[in-house]
Amino acid sequence: MDGSLTRRAVAECLGTFGLVFIAAGAAMVDEISGGGLGIIGNALASGLVVTAMIYATGHISGAHINPAVTLGFALVRRISLLDAGAYWVAQMVGAIAAAALLRLLLGKVGIMGGHAITIEPVKAVGVEIVLTFLLMFVIMAIATDKRAVGRAAALAIGATVTFDIMVGGPLTGGSMNPARTTGPALLAANWQDLWVFWVGPPIGAAIAAFLYTWLNDAKDGEDTTDNES
């Protein structure tokens, strides 16, 4: 890898590490405390850490911190396959390192803050597709439309993660991120239904990336002048 890609990959590794350490860590603390955080606390922990990691690494790597997001960008040619491959490796390394550190610090707590489905697997895939679609759609708007870029961009993405988990948490854990699920699963040796999180999120991200690209291309020839006074 060239120096630029190396730096971006390291940023992705660190961003994903932060995400998994806080999100999975919050789930583990919730279990240790007998439900002290609850679904709202877990959703906020995930949304806030995503916001923080975007502010910390977005200007370096784009802060994908999610293999499904990287896939979506790759499919619409916003990132090369070489760069995407480096991002995927970095994201998995960050996720596994975070889960390993949680295991070292807190011990083996349940499924290590991973995800478990409470509905039929096929329905769980559908839930993850929708949740990730919403997340990727917001990300695409911020990443590809200059009118949507601003200091509040990270807050919009973090908010999407938060409300996605509020809805999807009781059903699938609200992963939207194969790395976020796989890191804890590896340390907990919990492979049951892991395939759900490697099928649903990539499909949702791909649909959102293609749809937003189509919408964005369609508006190029139209008058989109803001009529606000």
Side-chain angles (χ1 to χ4, degrees):
M1 293 191 295
D2 62 46
S4 173
L5 180 53
T6 298
R7 287 190 293 272
R8 285 182 282 132
V10 170
E12 283 296 303
C13 182
L14 292 174
T16 310
F17 175 91
L19 165 61
V20 174
F21 187 84
I22 297 301
M28 293 172 71
V29 169
D30 186 53
E31 185 162 350
I32 292 171
S33 64
L37 290 178
I39 185 63
I40 302 299
N42 279 285
L44 286 172
S46 294
L48 289 172
V49 72
V50 166
T51 299
M53 291 302 102
I54 291 173
Y55 280 129
T57 66
H59 58 291
I60 301 172
S61 67
H64 296 189
I65 59 177
N66 182 337
V69 170
T70 300
L71 174 65
F73 280 128
L75 290 174
V76 295
R77 299 183 181 180
R78 297 237 167 222
I79 184 174
S80 70
L81 288 178
L82 174 62
D83 287 10
Y87 275 34
W88 287 325
V89 172
Q91 290 156 357
M92 291 306 302
V93 169
I96 294 169
L101 184 57
L102 286 169
R103 175 71 181 264
L104 177 65
L105 297 176
L106 301 179
K108 188 178 184 301
V109 179
I111 57 174
M112 296 295 297
H115 297 110
I117 66 174
T118 59
I119 55 178
E120 297 175 10
V122 173
K123 291 182 179 180
V125 170
V127 169
E128 285 293 318
I129 288 174
V130 175
L131 297 181
T132 313
F133 170 86
L134 294 173
L135 175 62
M136 188 70 194
F137 195 81
V138 171
I139 292 172
M140 285 294 295
I142 291 167
T144 65
D145 194 331
K146 293 180 179 180
R147 297 173 302 169
V149 174
R151 294 181 182 273
L155 294 175
I157 296 172
T160 306
V161 170
T162 300
F163 65 62
D164 269 1
I165 294 176
M166 287 181 181
V167 174
L171 306 175
T172 66
S175 173
M176 302 163 275
N177 186 333
R180 159 69 181 89
T181 301
T182 302
L186 179 64
L187 271 294
N190 175 38
W191 310 113
Q192 185 175 2
D193 300 318
L194 182 61
W195 66 272
V196 167
F197 306 100
W198 279 96
V199 173
I203 292 175
I207 294 172
F210 282 123
L211 178 59
Y212 194 88
T213 298
W214 176 74
L215 291 172
N216 207 34
D217 288 346
K219 75 170 180 59
D220 287 342
E222 301 175 358
D223 181 8
T224 56
T225 302
D226 190 345
N227 292 319
E228 292 183 5
S229 57

